[in-house]
Amino acid sequence: TRLLTVTGVQTCALPIFHMAWNILNGKVLYTDFFDTHGPLSVWLFSFLLKMKSGDVASIASLFYLRKICLMFVYLSTILLFCSLQLWTKNLYLNIVSAALFIGQLTIQVTAFRIRPDIFMLNTALLFFILWMKNRRFWAGIFLGLSLGLNPKFIFFNLPILITDFFLQNNDDKKNFPPSPSRWKRFQNSKLALLAGEMLIFIGISF
């Protein structure tokens, strides 16, 4: 703990690192050990550790994971700008919003934490971008990834599915001409978002 304090790595990074280490050593999540985060978060960090060159069992691995989390904080800023641009079309306001996002103290602190939250933020923003572009099946995949990374996303997940269902129901009442493509008809169906999300859950179950 003293070493982590001196190096600036938070102690909350240790459980995540330990669980990723367990996966690397052949242990099975929810059988050999338990985690309150989603299964995808543990698998993701174990994959990142596997990609690291050199000795994984060292303090350098924590700095390696922290750098990756920092990169995803910057990526989330870009995705936030893109999603706001799709929504509002106001370039200058969106630039200011992205600058305020990356400049606030909470984000700067989060950038140096080894946690799955920042990955969940990126998948959630990708969901919103795809949903705005009416790529509803692919949006559902990223919605499922967000929930798979952190179960806390369930508080956003259910309202999103319900809202999308009612929006699609209202669109059906407008009697738009049917699309000649089966894929496009599926993308516009009520079940497209849920189907993408269920595909992720089926993959996790295997």
Side-chain angles (χ1 to χ4, degrees):
T1 304
R2 184 177 300 176
L3 177 61
L4 293 178
T5 304
V6 172
T7 55
V9 179
Q10 288 82 4
T11 54
C12 61
L14 285 179
I16 296 174
F17 180 81
H18 179 67
M19 287 180 287
W21 174 260
N22 285 340
I23 295 291
L24 282 178
N25 284 273
K27 293 186 178 181
V28 180
L29 181 62
Y30 304 129
T31 300
D32 299 317
F33 65 98
F34 181 77
D35 178 32
T36 56
H37 297 97
L40 292 182
S41 63
V42 181
W43 295 337
L44 173 62
F45 281 110
S46 64
F47 172 77
L48 293 174
L49 286 178
K50 192 171 184 178
M51 293 296 102
K52 179 184 178 296
S53 60
D55 185 17
V56 175
S58 65
I59 194 69
S61 296
L62 293 173
F63 285 104
Y64 161 76
L65 292 176
R66 194 170 74 170
K67 287 178 182 178
I68 293 177
C69 291
L70 181 60
M71 289 170 54
F72 273 86
V73 167
Y74 293 133
L75 177 60
S76 66
T77 307
I78 297 172
L79 292 175
L80 176 64
F81 171 80
C82 294
S83 60
L84 289 174
Q85 190 64 17
L86 280 172
W87 192 15
T88 66
K89 308 292 185 183
N90 191 325
L91 178 62
Y92 299 108
L93 178 62
N94 296 335
I95 291 175
V96 172
S97 299
L100 290 173
F101 169 78
I102 195 65
Q104 63 177 311
L105 181 61
T106 305
I107 296 301
Q108 291 179 7
V109 172
T110 304
F112 292 97
R113 287 182 177 173
I114 302 172
R115 293 182 58 82
D117 306 58
I118 193 61
F119 299 100
M120 183 189 70
L121 176 60
N122 280 270
T123 54
L125 288 170
L126 283 168
F127 149 75
F128 183 74
I129 291 171
L130 290 167
W131 186 78
M132 288 288 291
K133 295 179 73 65
N134 204 29
R135 302 292 191 268
R136 300 177 67 254
F137 175 74
W138 301 108
I141 288 178
F142 283 98
L143 191 66
L145 289 174
S146 301
L147 187 58
L149 285 167
N150 199 325
K152 293 177 183 178
F153 195 75
I154 191 67
F155 298 108
F156 301 97
N157 187 279
L158 292 177
I160 286 171
L161 290 173
I162 294 170
T163 303
D164 179 76
F165 179 84
F166 281 106
L167 287 175
Q168 288 300 113
N169 193 49
N170 290 334
D171 287 344
D172 290 345
K173 293 178 180 178
K174 294 178 182 178
N175 296 321
F176 288 123
S179 171
S181 168
R182 284 186 179 181
W183 175 249
K184 287 185 178 179
R185 287 201 300 270
F186 172 68
Q187 286 274 31
N188 293 327
S189 71
K190 298 184 183 74
L191 298 178
L193 194 67
L194 183 61
E197 188 170 25
M198 290 304 298
L199 183 64
I200 295 297
F201 296 156
I202 292 172
I204 291 174
S205 66
F206 284 105

